[in-house]
Amino acid sequence: MFARQFRVRSNTAIKGSDRRKLKADISAAFPSLTADELTELVPNKEELNVVKIYAHKGDALTLYVLHKNPLFFELEKRLYPTVYVLWRYPALLPTFRTWPPVLQKLVGGADLMLPGVVVPSSGLPEVKRGDCCSVTLVNNRAPVAVGSAAVSSGEMRSLGMKGRGVCVLHAYMDNLWAFGDKSAPPSLPDAEGEGLEERTPGAKVTNQARSGLEELSLAEQEEERGDGEEEANQDDLKMPQEIMDALLLRCFLHALKSKVKKSELPLLTSTFLRNHMFSCCPSGTQLDIKKSSYKKLSKFLQAMQKQHNLVRVRELTKGVESIVEVDWKNRELRYFKVPEETDDEASPAPDRGDGAEPPYRPPEITALYSVSSRLEKGTILQPEEVRHIVTEYVKNNELVDENNKNYVTINPTLCDCLLEKSEYQEVESLKWDDLFSRALGRMQECYQVVYPGHAPIRKKGHMEPIDISVASRGSNKKVTLIKNLEVYGLDPAAVGTALQRRVQASSVLQPIPGSKDKVLVQIQGNQIHQVGNLLIDHYQIPRKYIQGLDKAPKGGKKK
């Protein structure tokens, strides 16, 4: 349900009566919680927010958020805990265990199939169809997914552990998890995991089979687990580093095999990560190198060079590394199976010989306003939502001036929120436009950017524009400089090549002094017209996010 981005409809602080009702609803839904635990989840005085959202398929849900972490979500009048709650109370729900590679399938929106369930010596948990339950991984009791039982425990056994087991609604690393502080699951040792190979049907699980699970349908896992030759040492499994390491390698191989062309080399390592590896990340997951065992991109690429012999990396410019060579005949790369893409994320793999540019989709940028302390602090709203809230408040409180409906009477609340102290005794009414502009002026400007295939990112201030400028080089020679392409997910090398073909002039990439991993494109002549046309018409970047178009050369006038 949260494999793709959801839309926030409203975000408000909970009322006292609603707080008490929520606590009663949680107690009824999860009777094992003690009074102290309920108070810890729903404290009496701390700020608790009610966030109403629309999922990508149109479902209306309500989130209950404490300390910026969603604790529960309500779907069709039923409460479900998030992984943030289950990490504190792992025994809150009946639990089904599975193998670590299955997690990526769950994050991508798949349900847990019964062949992927690891049955402990104590047997399956007793559940009825529709019961709320959680999913954990072998060797760690910290739940990584939440859903409802597709069938009862008795039906699971009678079906021979085949078919759908858990209908997954929410998982670690999906967009609901990303709405919180993005913390990782705690390490909660699972005694049942020790010696599991001897008790599990199919006997041995090899490292090869475990990595292969990511490319198999969940229904085929049990058969594949029986094909192994070496026992996996589950005690050496480190969560979630191993999952992030596997995701890094998968995206790395995917990017090399289907995105990168030989003609693009040398390729900046930062560009390779941003424009190729990120775009190969499965829907609902996020690459975070800091959460891997490598910690840095340079160390990961060193491992790919020394241990796998896949690429060769060199520092062509001081402090800026580039991939200068790829071993296209490498056995690991040749035998890597590119995952199938679905829906709007599917795009044809570029032909390395035709010179075509990789497909590009601009990010979705939304202007937002964060409510200040003088209003309802912490709420994020779009401009039209601000206008709607103000309009409804004015109408509900009958503040429209009876003699002139273009004016709104200022009551004490509006006075405190919108007027300066010097205006308290002077201003009795405001025009509608002035009212709206003052409301927006009291709020912190911010924005949300959504790169294709990734969770929304919110930041304060304005989106940094693409900057185009003209500089002099030598005697009367002009060059055009383009900065901040990376902010919009554009590959500077690809933009430089496209411009070079359009204007038949040479282009080069140069590092930006004082800016880590950023480069600018330099092309001969005043090419602002051509740069603007390329960015607006080809890459579909809105004109308001391009700075410097006014510096284009003007046409000559007849004397």
Side-chain angles (χ1 to χ4, degrees):
M1 172 160 286
F2 301 101
R4 296 189 186 179
Q5 176 196 357
F6 55 80
R7 183 166 67 89
V8 175
R9 185 159 54 100
S10 65
N11 185 343
T12 58
I14 196 169
K15 298 177 182 177
S17 57
D18 291 337
R19 187 187 297 261
R20 291 189 293 272
K21 183 180 182 301
L22 174 62
K23 186 179 289 189
D25 290 344
I26 294 173
S27 178
F30 310 102
S32 62
L33 289 171
T34 66
D36 290 341
E37 290 169 339
L38 282 170
T39 301
E40 185 178 348
L41 289 172
V42 188
N44 295 326
K45 295 184 178 180
E46 295 183 49
E47 184 173 327
L48 181 69
N49 282 51
V50 180
V51 182
K52 295 185 182 296
I53 66 169
Y54 288 121
H56 73 278
K57 289 186 177 180
D59 297 301
L61 297 94
T62 301
L63 311 181
Y64 297 96
V65 181
L66 178 69
H67 301 153
K68 298 184 179 180
N69 279 341
L71 299 185
F72 295 89
F73 62 97
E74 187 175 352
L75 174 64
E76 296 178 351
K77 297 184 179 181
R78 182 175 182 181
L79 283 172
Y80 296 87
T82 68
V83 290
Y84 291 111
V85 167
L86 293 176
W87 291 343
R88 292 157 67 179
Y89 308 104
L92 186 63
L93 300 176
T95 299
F96 293 88
R97 286 190 301 159
T98 189
W99 302 99
V102 177
L103 175 59
Q104 292 304 324
K105 293 285 187 179
L106 303 182
V107 174
D111 292 331
L112 178 64
M113 308 301 286
L114 290 173
V117 173
V118 178
V119 182
S121 58
S122 56
L124 291 170
E126 291 301 320
V127 295
K128 298 177 183 177
R129 180 188 300 227
D131 280 359
C132 188
C133 50
S134 65
V135 179
T136 64
L137 302 180
V138 170
N139 272 20
N140 193 354
R141 292 186 299 108
V144 294
V146 181
S148 59
V151 293
S152 67
S153 303
E155 290 175 301
M156 293 179 188
R157 288 187 282 265
S158 64
L159 291 170
M161 295 301 289
K162 294 187 183 297
R164 198 178 310 277
V166 178
C167 299
V168 174
L169 297 174
H170 156 55
Y172 164 54
M173 292 196 298
D174 68 7
N175 282 285
L176 180 57
W177 166 83
F179 195 69
D181 62 14
K182 301 181 183 179
S183 54
S187 179
L188 304 176
D190 181 5
E192 281 283 352
E194 299 178 5
L196 189 62
E197 296 84 359
E198 289 80 24
R199 298 197 300 271
T200 304
K204 300 178 182 179
V205 184
T206 69
N207 286 327
Q208 182 180 3
R210 285 197 298 146
S211 61
L213 285 174
E214 291 192 277
E215 299 172 16
L216 298 171
S217 68
L218 294 180
E220 295 172 336
Q221 290 170 11
E222 187 166 2
E223 180 182 349
E224 288 296 316
R225 286 204 296 269
D227 294 337
E229 296 177 356
E230 297 178 6
E231 292 187 0
N233 185 0
Q234 295 289 343
D235 290 332
D236 291 337
L237 182 65
K238 295 181 179 179
M239 292 290 293
Q241 281 190 348
E242 183 167 321
I243 291 176
M244 190 57 67
D245 288 354
L247 184 60
L248 275 172
L249 179 59
R250 168 184 169 149
C251 295
F252 177 77
L253 293 172
H254 186 173
L256 288 182
K257 192 158 186 175
S258 66
K259 304 291 183 182
V260 177
K261 300 175 295 182
K262 191 173 182 179
S263 60
E264 288 183 288
L265 302 178
L267 178 64
L268 289 171
T269 57
S270 57
T271 299
F272 174 70
L273 174 67
R274 184 181 301 108
N275 294 341
H276 297 313
M277 286 184 65
F278 280 161
S279 65
C280 293
C281 197
S283 175
T285 62
Q286 285 184 307
L287 278 181
D288 190 340
I289 293 180
K290 292 181 180 179
K291 292 183 180 178
S292 72
S293 62
Y294 303 100
K295 304 302 180 186
K296 295 181 179 179
L297 176 62
S298 57
K299 290 186 177 180
F300 171 72
L301 292 175
Q302 286 173 11
M304 297 301 101
Q305 176 173 286
K306 295 179 180 178
Q307 300 172 18
H308 297 256
N309 297 317
L310 281 161
V311 294
R312 193 157 61 90
V313 179
R314 286 179 56 190
E315 192 177 275
L316 298 181
T317 306
K318 188 175 181 180
V320 181
E321 290 186 334
S322 298
I323 297 174
V324 297
E325 187 178 326
V326 177
D327 183 3
W328 305 111
K329 297 181 180 180
N330 182 282
R331 185 179 181 87
E332 189 172 5
L333 183 59
R334 284 195 297 120
Y335 285 98
F336 175 76
K337 181 181 177 183
V338 175
E340 292 183 2
E341 296 177 306
T342 58
D343 300 334
D344 59 334
E345 295 167 344
S347 58
D351 182 351
R352 291 193 180 92
D354 64 3
E357 295 180 21
Y360 167 80
R361 286 183 293 160
E364 296 180 10
I365 305 165
T366 306
L368 298 172
Y369 288 86
S370 175
V371 180
S372 66
S373 58
R374 294 183 70 177
L375 302 172
E376 192 171 352
K377 189 173 183 180
T379 304
I380 303 293
L381 301 170
Q382 295 185 21
E384 55 269 23
E385 291 177 311
V386 176
R387 295 177 68 92
H388 175 74
I389 292 171
V390 172
T391 301
E392 288 300 306
Y393 178 83
V394 170
K395 290 181 178 179
N396 291 339
N397 289 273
E398 300 179 349
L399 298 177
V400 178
D401 192 313
E402 293 181 357
N403 299 321
N404 189 342
K405 297 189 181 297
N406 293 325
Y407 283 83
V408 174
T409 302
I410 302 301
N411 68 355
T413 299
L414 292 179
C415 177
D416 181 56
C417 292
L418 304 181
L419 299 185
E420 301 295 338
K421 289 185 178 180
S422 59
E423 298 176 314
Y424 283 2
Q425 304 300 325
E426 300 175 3
V427 179
E428 296 181 352
S429 62
L430 290 173
K431 283 188 175 182
W432 279 102
D433 287 345
D434 194 9
L435 190 73
F436 294 138
S437 62
R438 284 174 179 251
L440 293 173
R442 291 292 190 270
M443 303 171 75
Q444 169 71 52
E445 289 188 61
C446 52
Y447 65 91
Q448 173 179 285
V449 58
V450 182
Y451 297 97
H454 295 277
I457 299 172
R458 286 179 176 176
K459 294 184 178 180
K460 292 181 180 180
H462 299 277
M463 182 75 169
E464 192 175 12
I466 295 175
D467 182 73
I468 310 172
S469 60
V470 176
S472 298
R473 295 287 188 268
S475 58
N476 203 29
K477 289 185 178 179
K478 303 288 186 183
V479 293
T480 302
L481 309 176
I482 309 129
K483 302 178 185 177
N484 301 331
L485 292 168
E486 300 95 336
V487 175
Y488 295 79
L490 283 167
D491 180 358
V495 174
T497 301
L499 283 171
Q500 194 169 342
R501 288 199 299 264
R502 285 193 174 208
V503 303
Q504 297 298 304
S506 64
S507 68
V508 294
L509 300 181
Q510 294 184 347
I512 300 176
S515 181
K516 187 178 180 181
D517 293 335
K518 276 192 176 184
V519 297
L520 60 82
V521 177
Q522 175 181 304
I523 189 163
Q524 289 183 348
N526 187 332
Q527 309 294 353
I528 290 182
H529 270 314
Q530 292 291 346
V531 174
N533 291 339
L534 179 70
L535 294 174
I536 295 170
D537 298 335
H538 181 70
Y539 291 115
Q540 302 296 306
I541 303 295
R543 181 180 290 270
K544 63 182 178 180
Y545 295 116
I546 304 173
Q547 177 178 284
L549 293 175
D550 57 321
K551 299 184 180 71
K554 305 292 189 296
K557 295 183 179 179
K558 293 182 180 180
K559 295 183 179 180

